[in-house]
Amino acid sequence: MSEKKQSLSVVVRSDDKGHWVEWNNDGATGSLGPYQTEKMSADVRTAKEREFTENMGHIDDA
C-alpha cells in the first residue's frame, strides 16, 4: 500500500492588529489570532504543527 505524503504549511503572519498563525494542511486552511506577542504566536504555531504531524485522527472521529 502506498502512503500519500502530507502537504503541510504552518506560518506566522504579522500585521497592525497582531500576529496570526495560518495553516494549509492538504488543502484545508485556517488561522488563529491575533496574538499580542511574537512568542505566543510562535508557541501556537509549534503546537498547531505538532497537532497536524503527531495526531492521526480528528477529535470528531473519536
Side-chain angles (χ1 to χ4, degrees):
M1 181 185 289
S2 67
E3 198 170 305
K4 183 181 153 196
K5 186 170 179 155
Q6 180 180 18
S7 171
L8 174 63
S9 171
V10 183
V11 298
V12 173
R13 176 183 59 82
S14 299
D15 63 19
D16 60 334
K17 295 180 182 176
H19 309 282
W20 304 80
V21 176
E22 299 178 332
W23 64 88
N24 184 327
N25 183 21
D26 285 333
T29 60
S31 68
L32 294 170
Y35 296 98
Q36 293 179 343
T37 66
E38 288 183 47
K39 181 179 181 338
M40 176 62 82
S41 61
D43 291 345
V44 171
R45 187 206 65 80
T46 300
K48 196 68 181 173
E49 188 173 74
R50 185 176 302 130
E51 173 188 342
F52 286 131
T53 57
E54 294 180 7
N55 296 335
M56 296 301 292
H58 188 277
I59 194 164
D60 291 341
D61 297 335

